Amino acid sequence: MLKVFICGGSGYTGSELLRILALHDEVEIVGVTSEKSAGMKVSELFPAFFIYKKLKFESLNTEAIKNRADVYFLALPHGKSQQVAAELLQAGKKVIDLSADFRIKDVRIYEQWYKTQHLFPELLKEAVYGLPEIYREKIKKARLIANPGCYPTSVILPLYPFLKKKLIDTSTIIVDSCSGVSGAGRKADITLSYCEVNEDFRAYNVAKHRHTPEIEQEVGFASGSSITIDFTTHLLPLNRGILSTIYASMKKDLSTAEALEILKEQYQNEPFIQIMPEGELPSMKYVRGTNYCYIGAVVNPRTKRLILVSAIDNLVKGASGQAVQNMNIMFGIDEAKALRSLALSP
Amino acid sequence: MLKVFICGGSGYTGSELLRILALHDEVEIVGVTSEKSAGMKVSELFPAFFIYKKLKFESLNTEAIKNRADVYFLALPHGKSQQVAAELLQAGKKVIDLSADFRIKDVRIYEQWYKTQHLFPELLKEAVYGLPEIYREKIKKARLIANPGCYPTSVILPLYPFLKKKLIDTSTIIVDSCSGVSGAGRKADITLSYCEVNEDFRAYNVAKHRHTPEIEQEVGFASGSSITIDFTTHLLPLNRGILSTIYASMKKDLSTAEALEILKEQYQNEPFIQIMPEGELPSMKYVRGTNYCYIGAVVNPRTKRLILVSAIDNLVKGASGQAVQNMNIMFGIDEAKALRSLALSP
Amino acid sequence: MLKVFICGGSGYTGSELLRILALHDEVEIVGVTSEKSAGMKVSELFPAFFIYKKLKFESLNTEAIKNRADVYFLALPHGKSQQVAAELLQAGKKVIDLSADFRIKDVRIYEQWYKTQHLFPELLKEAVYGLPEIYREKIKKARLIANPGCYPTSVILPLYPFLKKKLIDTSTIIVDSCSGVSGAGRKADITLSYCEVNEDFRAYNVAKHRHTPEIEQEVGFASGSSITIDFTTHLLPLNRGILSTIYASMKKDLSTAEALEILKEQYQNEPFIQIMPEGELPSMKYVRGTNYCYIGAVVNPRTKRLILVSAIDNLVKGASGQAVQNMNIMFGIDEAKALRSLALSP
Amino acid sequence: MLKVFICGGSGYTGSELLRILALHDEVEIVGVTSEKSAGMKVSELFPAFFIYKKLKFESLNTEAIKNRADVYFLALPHGKSQQVAAELLQAGKKVIDLSADFRIKDVRIYEQWYKTQHLFPELLKEAVYGLPEIYREKIKKARLIANPGCYPTSVILPLYPFLKKKLIDTSTIIVDSCSGVSGAGRKADITLSYCEVNEDFRAYNVAKHRHTPEIEQEVGFASGSSITIDFTTHLLPLNRGILSTIYASMKKDLSTAEALEILKEQYQNEPFIQIMPEGELPSMKYVRGTNYCYIGAVVNPRTKRLILVSAIDNLVKGASGQAVQNMNIMFGIDEAKALRSLALSP
């Protein structure tokens, strides 16, 4: 049994790890931290997770926990993960960091967008961006995984094959994404209270969302060039899910069928990617509670633009499910273990 | 123009007064307070209320405001209203208190359920319970209105004629009520955050909700006896509305048609009460955004119990709309002024 | 591998069987019917269930299917199941019927409430009511399971130990239940369209819901007497879940702690029953997507009434999950196989 | 009193006319049609509209109704409005058509996108596109109003001043819009049933939505050139509202402040347009139930693209409210009469 430790277990990505790992028969959760709920049983804070009757939240003390597990999931705020990750790596442990701390390779860009100093630039080089569909081989050997952001996962996967094949004009990429409320985290915040979100829809962080440089980095790597995009995010009145609509002018005329073929070819052996048939597009409900990413494509014959639509569950493929997928890969476990649930539908 | 002042304008009952009074052509809002938002324009905190471009939230200072208006709405927390009401009455003003401070006539019961001392028991005697369908004549002459609670409004109105006519066994009353989330107020509270309420439904404060003694007092007055009820409240995943289902054994066999006739007779001239035809029951959407109360009745022929169902908008007939109705009555204005909107449907 | 056939796979209970059984490693789905979608692949109608790429809906022909599987789930409308069940039993197969056709032991009561003739009264005697917590031993040997209704499951489980111990006055039972919309089935119906249900809440079928006689039968069996109840159902604006609030006067004074002790004692070894600690009550979100039933209790010290609150997912413990639980029991498979998922939360 | 007739009163735009006109004290509704509900009282089909106790739905017979009113609202399906409008105009009446039949000036484009023949091309020339902010003077004298589509209203208003001033590259316009479910109409359709829409989000009609040519026509008129756009629509899990996010490259560098200034200048005297301050964007809840259009702007300094965000209520400013606004203008009534309600918030 692989021993697993969760740092930051009372937020939505932490609790999602608890939910997913409950079905994983090759791991044992040996500890979980929460500053606010330290001392409480997991089953008290989350009665839905009644099986964790003995596991108690503890305060995070890296020194005290560094010898208790084989792999550590860090579901901590950005800026806080860095230090914990560094100390656990120092102790010879493997770390899967769900924060943004190790995603951006260029320290200056990280510091500019996250307004925080990066104390471990040398670890940035080592960290592997944990998108298995692109970096699986590196993940197998990684000690430190920078688990991708939710929006970037939904944007990079559909764009990747078109960029690699240099089929689109990279100066024309516009990404319009919508996320459910769990993406904002579990917190007391009046703007996230039920009555303020329900029956509402709004754009936020327009032209300044922190996932912008992460997307730009990865689509840049794929295309071999520097890319600047427009990325707009909206808040949907629902719990889970991201749907991204991506627009780009094509360098070469493709039909919708050809665009879909490119996606199918790229992802034909991927366990978690589903390409929609021509004429159909992903719906958020296809991925609710699952680790799947559904992708559809339309070429508008009137404007010659490629329109890609993708759907993921922001807490699963967009966070904790992908983290478990990375863990499975790192430890030679069946990659889909504990991640096979179909969408809760309706 | 009647000069109106709102104490506590940044919560949901306060903002609802701002919304309703925007359509009232015989009043002018001369001031509004908010401790948290003091100094902000109303239109800044609530961009939806753009017409209030000049009105600024101010900190509450009774001394400073007591000469600025004719009538004061107090949308303050219970315990806080008492003092403000007393000082405004002292200054010769009329007060409509939306808190619970003047609803319970028996000081001991108030103090026991609200865990707060009552400093003005003599005002309790003077205060008129602001349910126009029962106390209209007293309201006309009142200086101090105890505006009813949302749940009590939805429960007292349907039960009232049956109690007055002594048709039900008062020891058997069970009230099962469900409210939208705005009933909990506008606040940063993790248990009221979107993801915790959406797709969820739960009972709360079972056997100890503070509206229990208010309901018991008024149904007791109606029946001329002391009544103890079971009152259970649930939180609905929607913004506005209360639906109450009320059960009671009958002292005398009535048919559904006879029960409906009793309701129609009682409320035939009431501008805000609608009785459903036999075979149909109220739906919350009939009252969304309105001051109406819809009531339906079924007699279960197998158990001989009377089942009453009522629907109101908790922020309108359950709070601010009823407060404006009371103001209209107190000042000889058309009772339905600013309150004629039909339900926003869908 | 156990061969499983699903009759009626395009409704919500049928599709829920497809979802749950996708994680069951001891069964193989050999066929699924749908009249409306005959000829379509399951993965076409339900893109979320992409793994069923080969399985096609077929038209129901009992003669043609009776030799293809070991066990047949009937997710058909009541009245239609009877004949199919009879023919499959005749062919020596085991049948789990999710309709109401075999739940009511008294033919006259069935015919009166369901307005349909019962053609196989002799099978009614043989049919086992599939509530494992009460009838597990009989289920082990059953050929024909009458899988319980969703509301009855949520009502019978909390009441059962109190009735068996004769602790409550059976003439005083009032059940107030609320269900998510999936309980009404998958169909084009204007009253179930999004805009008519969203932000709404309404009571329906008051004093005449067809689950009334099913509940009365089972609580009657538990108490050894004939019981008539008031049972009111409401439609909640959410997809899944039932929460029932149950009121009854007690024959003997119990404290809340004692009431909870009775529940714990009854269900201590049950894999799918969770009893809430004193002071807490079930929330629908604890059971979303799961086979669990959460139960809480409060004794109102002022009225001496026992108030029970239970929560289930109407499609899982209230239908398809319980059906799979029954199948597991019938075939000697681990009872919780494929049913261990924790709640999708948030 | 102006006599008003509504053709097609049982859908959502028809019922919204009934809701809005209930507060209009200079009009009288003399008739309303519905094929499905002919013979029913309006208050029976819509208990929320209890004030219409005498008004009955009738079957549409143009001959029989043409002398009963001064102005006719046609809330009929496209293709059906044409004939009715022509006959009413022939009878000397004024017509406000909420369908698409008279919006597209080029018959071939209409026929190509709507797959219906246009029988009255000469009326197309006369019809005035009923967007008061652009065509107010023409509306004053019009006999036939082509009331704008919901999406086009939300797109044309923000783009208009930038196009008129030739500030954007018209080949780069991308519109990403999201609508609440009422936009799809009131009908029994399984894909619009509650469980299929709730907790879901999906794109639909990508690159082929019928509002595309209407938007292209009007932005083309504004810019004096032919424009082809990408227009993507999504279905939001909420009742009312459209939020459009519009992207375009600028011909001339503008700051966000300058872009906002252009909007403010254009719309400074408009009663129903609100421009957001810099740093803030419209939220759907600001317009719920109202005739207002809120517009915000951001210039992305990294891509030099202009991003416009607008919010309207699809049933009010996007349909019936705008229709009443047009009626008020046509008949010399205060333009905002019956349209002053602030947003129902929360």
Side-chain angles (χ1 to χ4, degrees), chain B residues 176 196 200 216 230 247 283 285 300 302-303 305, chain C residues 176 196 200 216 230 232 247 283 285 300 302-303 305:
Chain B
D176 199 285
E196 299 299 313
D200 190 31
E216 289 180 346
D230 259 299
Y247 304 87
S283 199
K285 69 184 158 211
N300 185 346
R302 302 173 71 244
T303 63
R305 277 198 197 93
Chain C
D176 200 285
E196 299 298 314
D200 190 32
E216 289 179 347
D230 259 299
T232 306
Y247 304 87
S283 200
K285 69 184 160 213
N300 185 345
R302 301 173 71 246
T303 63
R305 279 199 196 91

PDB file of all heavy atoms in Angstrom, chain B residues 176 196 200 216 230 247 283 285 300 302-303 305, chain C residues 176 196 200 216 230 232 247 283 285 300 302-303 305:
ATOM      1  N   ASP B 176     -44.473  22.570   8.487  1.00  0.00           N
ATOM      2  CA  ASP B 176     -43.250  22.184   7.798  1.00  0.00           C
ATOM      3  C   ASP B 176     -43.011  23.248   6.738  1.00  0.00           C
ATOM      4  O   ASP B 176     -43.742  23.347   5.764  1.00  0.00           O
ATOM      5  CB  ASP B 176     -43.458  20.799   7.171  1.00  0.00           C
ATOM      6  CG  ASP B 176     -42.159  20.118   6.840  1.00  0.00           C
ATOM      7  OD1 ASP B 176     -41.536  20.536   5.847  1.00  0.00           O
ATOM      8  OD2 ASP B 176     -41.757  19.191   7.564  1.00  0.00           O
ATOM      9  N   GLU B 196     -22.298  25.008  -1.161  1.00  0.00           N
ATOM     10  CA  GLU B 196     -22.809  24.272  -0.002  1.00  0.00           C
ATOM     11  C   GLU B 196     -24.332  24.199  -0.001  1.00  0.00           C
ATOM     12  O   GLU B 196     -24.919  23.382   0.704  1.00  0.00           O
ATOM     13  CB  GLU B 196     -22.320  24.932   1.301  1.00  0.00           C
ATOM     14  CG  GLU B 196     -20.802  24.957   1.455  1.00  0.00           C
ATOM     15  CD  GLU B 196     -20.194  23.568   1.484  1.00  0.00           C
ATOM     16  OE1 GLU B 196     -20.719  22.714   2.212  1.00  0.00           O
ATOM     17  OE2 GLU B 196     -19.201  23.338   0.756  1.00  0.00           O
ATOM     18  N   ASP B 200     -28.529  21.035  -2.759  1.00  0.00           N
ATOM     19  CA  ASP B 200     -28.680  20.492  -1.412  1.00  0.00           C
ATOM     20  C   ASP B 200     -30.037  20.910  -0.862  1.00  0.00           C
ATOM     21  O   ASP B 200     -30.699  21.814  -1.370  1.00  0.00           O
ATOM     22  CB  ASP B 200     -27.567  21.010  -0.497  1.00  0.00           C
ATOM     23  CG  ASP B 200     -27.548  20.281   0.844  1.00  0.00           C
ATOM     24  OD1 ASP B 200     -27.911  19.089   0.881  1.00  0.00           O
ATOM     25  OD2 ASP B 200     -27.179  20.906   1.852  1.00  0.00           O
ATOM     26  N   GLU B 216     -46.741  30.901  17.626  1.00  0.00           N
ATOM     27  CA  GLU B 216     -47.596  30.423  18.727  1.00  0.00           C
ATOM     28  C   GLU B 216     -48.393  31.563  19.351  1.00  0.00           C
ATOM     29  O   GLU B 216     -49.558  31.402  19.711  1.00  0.00           O
ATOM     30  CB  GLU B 216     -46.732  29.718  19.784  1.00  0.00           C
ATOM     31  CG  GLU B 216     -46.197  28.369  19.288  1.00  0.00           C
ATOM     32  CD  GLU B 216     -45.335  27.622  20.293  1.00  0.00           C
ATOM     33  OE1 GLU B 216     -44.918  28.249  21.304  1.00  0.00           O
ATOM     34  OE2 GLU B 216     -45.060  26.428  20.077  1.00  0.00           O
ATOM     35  N   ASP B 230     -45.369  22.141  16.447  1.00  0.00           N
ATOM     36  CA  ASP B 230     -44.094  21.693  15.889  1.00  0.00           C
ATOM     37  C   ASP B 230     -43.855  22.509  14.637  1.00  0.00           C
ATOM     38  O   ASP B 230     -44.745  22.610  13.773  1.00  0.00           O
ATOM     39  CB  ASP B 230     -44.127  20.186  15.572  1.00  0.00           C
ATOM     40  CG  ASP B 230     -43.420  19.403  16.649  1.00  0.00           C
ATOM     41  OD1 ASP B 230     -42.218  19.641  16.843  1.00  0.00           O
ATOM     42  OD2 ASP B 230     -44.088  18.593  17.315  1.00  0.00           O
ATOM     43  N   TYR B 247     -50.276  21.067   8.893  1.00  0.00           N
ATOM     44  CA  TYR B 247     -51.152  19.934   9.152  1.00  0.00           C
ATOM     45  C   TYR B 247     -51.900  20.152  10.464  1.00  0.00           C
ATOM     46  O   TYR B 247     -51.290  20.576  11.456  1.00  0.00           O
ATOM     47  CB  TYR B 247     -50.328  18.655   9.296  1.00  0.00           C
ATOM     48  CG  TYR B 247     -49.447  18.343   8.115  1.00  0.00           C
ATOM     49  CD1 TYR B 247     -48.166  18.873   8.011  1.00  0.00           C
ATOM     50  CD2 TYR B 247     -49.896  17.502   7.099  1.00  0.00           C
ATOM     51  CE1 TYR B 247     -47.343  18.582   6.927  1.00  0.00           C
ATOM     52  CE2 TYR B 247     -49.084  17.203   6.006  1.00  0.00           C
ATOM     53  CZ  TYR B 247     -47.813  17.746   5.928  1.00  0.00           C
ATOM     54  OH  TYR B 247     -47.013  17.456   4.846  1.00  0.00           O
ATOM     55  N   SER B 283     -47.681  27.612  -5.830  1.00  0.00           N
ATOM     56  CA  SER B 283     -46.340  27.320  -6.280  1.00  0.00           C
ATOM     57  C   SER B 283     -45.531  28.567  -5.936  1.00  0.00           C
ATOM     58  O   SER B 283     -46.028  29.690  -6.037  1.00  0.00           O
ATOM     59  CB  SER B 283     -46.398  27.115  -7.796  1.00  0.00           C
ATOM     60  OG  SER B 283     -45.303  26.428  -8.291  1.00  0.00           O
ATOM     61  N   LYS B 285     -43.351  30.081  -7.452  1.00  0.00           N
ATOM     62  CA  LYS B 285     -43.123  31.021  -8.549  1.00  0.00           C
ATOM     63  C   LYS B 285     -44.286  31.998  -8.740  1.00  0.00           C
ATOM     64  O   LYS B 285     -44.110  33.002  -9.412  1.00  0.00           O
ATOM     65  CB  LYS B 285     -42.816  30.277  -9.840  1.00  0.00           C
ATOM     66  CG  LYS B 285     -43.965  29.525 -10.416  1.00  0.00           C
ATOM     67  CD  LYS B 285     -43.516  28.733 -11.646  1.00  0.00           C
ATOM     68  CE  LYS B 285     -44.490  27.594 -11.891  1.00  0.00           C
ATOM     69  NZ  LYS B 285     -43.869  26.445 -12.492  1.00  0.00           N
ATOM     70  N   ASN B 300     -57.549  15.653   3.740  1.00  0.00           N
ATOM     71  CA  ASN B 300     -57.272  14.255   3.401  1.00  0.00           C
ATOM     72  C   ASN B 300     -58.438  13.417   3.909  1.00  0.00           C
ATOM     73  O   ASN B 300     -58.649  13.294   5.117  1.00  0.00           O
ATOM     74  CB  ASN B 300     -55.963  13.806   4.066  1.00  0.00           C
ATOM     75  CG  ASN B 300     -55.581  12.390   3.641  1.00  0.00           C
ATOM     76  OD1 ASN B 300     -56.400  11.651   3.074  1.00  0.00           O
ATOM     77  ND2 ASN B 300     -54.351  12.008   3.916  1.00  0.00           N
ATOM     78  N   ARG B 302     -58.818  10.347   4.086  1.00  0.00           N
ATOM     79  CA  ARG B 302     -58.435   9.119   4.786  1.00  0.00           C
ATOM     80  C   ARG B 302     -58.012   9.387   6.224  1.00  0.00           C
ATOM     81  O   ARG B 302     -58.124   8.531   7.082  1.00  0.00           O
ATOM     82  CB  ARG B 302     -57.311   8.412   4.031  1.00  0.00           C
ATOM     83  CG  ARG B 302     -57.723   8.078   2.577  1.00  0.00           C
ATOM     84  CD  ARG B 302     -56.541   7.536   1.771  1.00  0.00           C
ATOM     85  NE  ARG B 302     -56.162   6.214   2.189  1.00  0.00           N
ATOM     86  CZ  ARG B 302     -54.995   5.915   2.736  1.00  0.00           C
ATOM     87  NH1 ARG B 302     -54.089   6.855   2.954  1.00  0.00           N
ATOM     88  NH2 ARG B 302     -54.716   4.680   3.077  1.00  0.00           N
ATOM     89  N   THR B 303     -57.452  10.577   6.482  1.00  0.00           N
ATOM     90  CA  THR B 303     -56.986  10.865   7.845  1.00  0.00           C
ATOM     91  C   THR B 303     -57.780  11.977   8.511  1.00  0.00           C
ATOM     92  O   THR B 303     -57.573  12.256   9.685  1.00  0.00           O
ATOM     93  CB  THR B 303     -55.496  11.326   7.815  1.00  0.00           C
ATOM     94  OG1 THR B 303     -55.436  12.555   7.072  1.00  0.00           O
ATOM     95  CG2 THR B 303     -54.603  10.289   7.172  1.00  0.00           C
ATOM     96  N   ARG B 305     -57.364  14.973   8.194  1.00  0.00           N
ATOM     97  CA  ARG B 305     -56.543  16.128   8.545  1.00  0.00           C
ATOM     98  C   ARG B 305     -56.711  17.225   7.498  1.00  0.00           C
ATOM     99  O   ARG B 305     -56.871  16.954   6.304  1.00  0.00           O
ATOM    100  CB  ARG B 305     -55.066  15.755   8.629  1.00  0.00           C
ATOM    101  CG  ARG B 305     -54.677  15.149   9.947  1.00  0.00           C
ATOM    102  CD  ARG B 305     -53.179  15.177  10.191  1.00  0.00           C
ATOM    103  NE  ARG B 305     -52.876  14.224  11.266  1.00  0.00           N
ATOM    104  CZ  ARG B 305     -52.532  12.962  11.069  1.00  0.00           C
ATOM    105  NH1 ARG B 305     -52.387  12.478   9.854  1.00  0.00           N
ATOM    106  NH2 ARG B 305     -52.295  12.169  12.109  1.00  0.00           N
TER     107      ARG B 305
ATOM    108  N   ASP C 176     -43.546  14.428   5.507  1.00  0.00           N
ATOM    109  CA  ASP C 176     -43.411  15.556   4.590  1.00  0.00           C
ATOM    110  C   ASP C 176     -42.111  15.327   3.829  1.00  0.00           C
ATOM    111  O   ASP C 176     -41.031  15.429   4.386  1.00  0.00           O
ATOM    112  CB  ASP C 176     -43.355  16.848   5.418  1.00  0.00           C
ATOM    113  CG  ASP C 176     -43.690  18.066   4.593  1.00  0.00           C
ATOM    114  OD1 ASP C 176     -42.810  18.468   3.814  1.00  0.00           O
ATOM    115  OD2 ASP C 176     -44.802  18.600   4.703  1.00  0.00           O
ATOM    116  N   GLU C 196     -39.809  26.147 -15.478  1.00  0.00           N
ATOM    117  CA  GLU C 196     -40.991  25.959 -14.635  1.00  0.00           C
ATOM    118  C   GLU C 196     -40.628  25.399 -13.263  1.00  0.00           C
ATOM    119  O   GLU C 196     -41.423  25.456 -12.333  1.00  0.00           O
ATOM    120  CB  GLU C 196     -41.987  25.022 -15.331  1.00  0.00           C
ATOM    121  CG  GLU C 196     -42.496  25.553 -16.664  1.00  0.00           C
ATOM    122  CD  GLU C 196     -43.257  26.866 -16.523  1.00  0.00           C
ATOM    123  OE1 GLU C 196     -44.093  26.971 -15.624  1.00  0.00           O
ATOM    124  OE2 GLU C 196     -42.975  27.796 -17.320  1.00  0.00           O
ATOM    125  N   ASP C 200     -38.409  27.480  -8.169  1.00  0.00           N
ATOM    126  CA  ASP C 200     -39.766  27.193  -7.723  1.00  0.00           C
ATOM    127  C   ASP C 200     -39.728  26.052  -6.710  1.00  0.00           C
ATOM    128  O   ASP C 200     -38.741  25.329  -6.574  1.00  0.00           O
ATOM    129  CB  ASP C 200     -40.645  26.798  -8.921  1.00  0.00           C
ATOM    130  CG  ASP C 200     -42.117  26.732  -8.552  1.00  0.00           C
ATOM    131  OD1 ASP C 200     -42.546  27.498  -7.677  1.00  0.00           O
ATOM    132  OD2 ASP C 200     -42.843  25.901  -9.132  1.00  0.00           O
ATOM    133  N   GLU C 216     -47.612   2.659   3.849  1.00  0.00           N
ATOM    134  CA  GLU C 216     -48.549   2.157   4.870  1.00  0.00           C
ATOM    135  C   GLU C 216     -48.433   0.644   5.039  1.00  0.00           C
ATOM    136  O   GLU C 216     -48.516   0.137   6.152  1.00  0.00           O
ATOM    137  CB  GLU C 216     -49.983   2.541   4.491  1.00  0.00           C
ATOM    138  CG  GLU C 216     -50.237   4.054   4.647  1.00  0.00           C
ATOM    139  CD  GLU C 216     -51.643   4.500   4.264  1.00  0.00           C
ATOM    140  OE1 GLU C 216     -52.370   3.696   3.646  1.00  0.00           O
ATOM    141  OE2 GLU C 216     -52.006   5.641   4.581  1.00  0.00           O
ATOM    142  N   ASP C 230     -50.486  10.604   6.789  1.00  0.00           N
ATOM    143  CA  ASP C 230     -50.498  11.730   5.866  1.00  0.00           C
ATOM    144  C   ASP C 230     -49.131  11.792   5.219  1.00  0.00           C
ATOM    145  O   ASP C 230     -48.106  11.776   5.919  1.00  0.00           O
ATOM    146  CB  ASP C 230     -50.823  13.048   6.603  1.00  0.00           C
ATOM    147  CG  ASP C 230     -52.266  13.426   6.393  1.00  0.00           C
ATOM    148  OD1 ASP C 230     -52.652  13.630   5.235  1.00  0.00           O
ATOM    149  OD2 ASP C 230     -53.007  13.472   7.390  1.00  0.00           O
ATOM    150  N   THR C 232     -47.095  13.930   2.229  1.00  0.00           N
ATOM    151  CA  THR C 232     -47.103  15.056   1.293  1.00  0.00           C
ATOM    152  C   THR C 232     -45.759  15.122   0.580  1.00  0.00           C
ATOM    153  O   THR C 232     -44.712  15.023   1.212  1.00  0.00           O
ATOM    154  CB  THR C 232     -47.329  16.378   2.055  1.00  0.00           C
ATOM    155  OG1 THR C 232     -48.507  16.256   2.842  1.00  0.00           O
ATOM    156  CG2 THR C 232     -47.480  17.539   1.094  1.00  0.00           C
ATOM    157  N   TYR C 247     -43.023  13.047  11.332  1.00  0.00           N
ATOM    158  CA  TYR C 247     -43.495  13.451  12.658  1.00  0.00           C
ATOM    159  C   TYR C 247     -44.368  12.354  13.259  1.00  0.00           C
ATOM    160  O   TYR C 247     -45.212  11.790  12.550  1.00  0.00           O
ATOM    161  CB  TYR C 247     -44.350  14.710  12.550  1.00  0.00           C
ATOM    162  CG  TYR C 247     -43.673  15.891  11.889  1.00  0.00           C
ATOM    163  CD1 TYR C 247     -43.702  16.035  10.506  1.00  0.00           C
ATOM    164  CD2 TYR C 247     -43.005  16.847  12.639  1.00  0.00           C
ATOM    165  CE1 TYR C 247     -43.082  17.112   9.893  1.00  0.00           C
ATOM    166  CE2 TYR C 247     -42.385  17.932  12.029  1.00  0.00           C
ATOM    167  CZ  TYR C 247     -42.430  18.061  10.654  1.00  0.00           C
ATOM    168  OH  TYR C 247     -41.816  19.122  10.059  1.00  0.00           O
ATOM    169  N   SER C 283     -28.139  16.055   5.397  1.00  0.00           N
ATOM    170  CA  SER C 283     -28.205  17.039   4.332  1.00  0.00           C
ATOM    171  C   SER C 283     -28.206  16.225   3.044  1.00  0.00           C
ATOM    172  O   SER C 283     -27.543  15.191   2.948  1.00  0.00           O
ATOM    173  CB  SER C 283     -26.937  17.890   4.434  1.00  0.00           C
ATOM    174  OG  SER C 283     -27.059  19.112   3.799  1.00  0.00           O
ATOM    175  N   LYS C 285     -26.839  16.649   0.370  1.00  0.00           N
ATOM    176  CA  LYS C 285     -25.558  16.530  -0.323  1.00  0.00           C
ATOM    177  C   LYS C 285     -24.687  15.399   0.227  1.00  0.00           C
ATOM    178  O   LYS C 285     -23.732  15.007  -0.429  1.00  0.00           O
ATOM    179  CB  LYS C 285     -24.797  17.857  -0.295  1.00  0.00           C
ATOM    180  CG  LYS C 285     -24.306  18.258   1.051  1.00  0.00           C
ATOM    181  CD  LYS C 285     -23.661  19.642   0.972  1.00  0.00           C
ATOM    182  CE  LYS C 285     -23.616  20.254   2.356  1.00  0.00           C
ATOM    183  NZ  LYS C 285     -23.753  21.687   2.347  1.00  0.00           N
ATOM    184  N   ASN C 300     -38.831  16.793  20.120  1.00  0.00           N
ATOM    185  CA  ASN C 300     -39.178  18.154  20.534  1.00  0.00           C
ATOM    186  C   ASN C 300     -39.672  18.091  21.973  1.00  0.00           C
ATOM    187  O   ASN C 300     -40.727  17.529  22.254  1.00  0.00           O
ATOM    188  CB  ASN C 300     -40.269  18.718  19.622  1.00  0.00           C
ATOM    189  CG  ASN C 300     -40.577  20.178  19.957  1.00  0.00           C
ATOM    190  OD1 ASN C 300     -40.188  20.679  21.013  1.00  0.00           O
ATOM    191  ND2 ASN C 300     -41.269  20.847  19.060  1.00  0.00           N
ATOM    192  N   ARG C 302     -40.964  20.248  23.767  1.00  0.00           N
ATOM    193  CA  ARG C 302     -42.180  21.027  24.050  1.00  0.00           C
ATOM    194  C   ARG C 302     -43.438  20.300  23.602  1.00  0.00           C
ATOM    195  O   ARG C 302     -44.509  20.499  24.154  1.00  0.00           O
ATOM    196  CB  ARG C 302     -42.086  22.391  23.379  1.00  0.00           C
ATOM    197  CG  ARG C 302     -40.862  23.190  23.859  1.00  0.00           C
ATOM    198  CD  ARG C 302     -40.663  24.481  23.065  1.00  0.00           C
ATOM    199  NE  ARG C 302     -41.664  25.473  23.353  1.00  0.00           N
ATOM    200  CZ  ARG C 302     -42.560  25.910  22.479  1.00  0.00           C
ATOM    201  NH1 ARG C 302     -42.599  25.420  21.254  1.00  0.00           N
ATOM    202  NH2 ARG C 302     -43.423  26.825  22.827  1.00  0.00           N
ATOM    203  N   THR C 303     -43.332  19.479  22.558  1.00  0.00           N
ATOM    204  CA  THR C 303     -44.530  18.792  22.052  1.00  0.00           C
ATOM    205  C   THR C 303     -44.465  17.286  22.242  1.00  0.00           C
ATOM    206  O   THR C 303     -45.436  16.593  21.973  1.00  0.00           O
ATOM    207  CB  THR C 303     -44.701  19.043  20.532  1.00  0.00           C
ATOM    208  OG1 THR C 303     -43.579  18.470  19.860  1.00  0.00           O
ATOM    209  CG2 THR C 303     -44.797  20.524  20.220  1.00  0.00           C
ATOM    210  N   ARG C 305     -43.068  15.279  20.433  1.00  0.00           N
ATOM    211  CA  ARG C 305     -43.112  14.542  19.169  1.00  0.00           C
ATOM    212  C   ARG C 305     -41.700  14.124  18.762  1.00  0.00           C
ATOM    213  O   ARG C 305     -40.724  14.836  19.004  1.00  0.00           O
ATOM    214  CB  ARG C 305     -43.712  15.389  18.049  1.00  0.00           C
ATOM    215  CG  ARG C 305     -45.215  15.411  18.062  1.00  0.00           C
ATOM    216  CD  ARG C 305     -45.813  15.849  16.730  1.00  0.00           C
ATOM    217  NE  ARG C 305     -47.220  16.199  16.951  1.00  0.00           N
ATOM    218  CZ  ARG C 305     -47.645  17.426  17.262  1.00  0.00           C
ATOM    219  NH1 ARG C 305     -46.802  18.446  17.329  1.00  0.00           N
ATOM    220  NH2 ARG C 305     -48.925  17.636  17.470  1.00  0.00           N
TER     221      ARG C 305
END
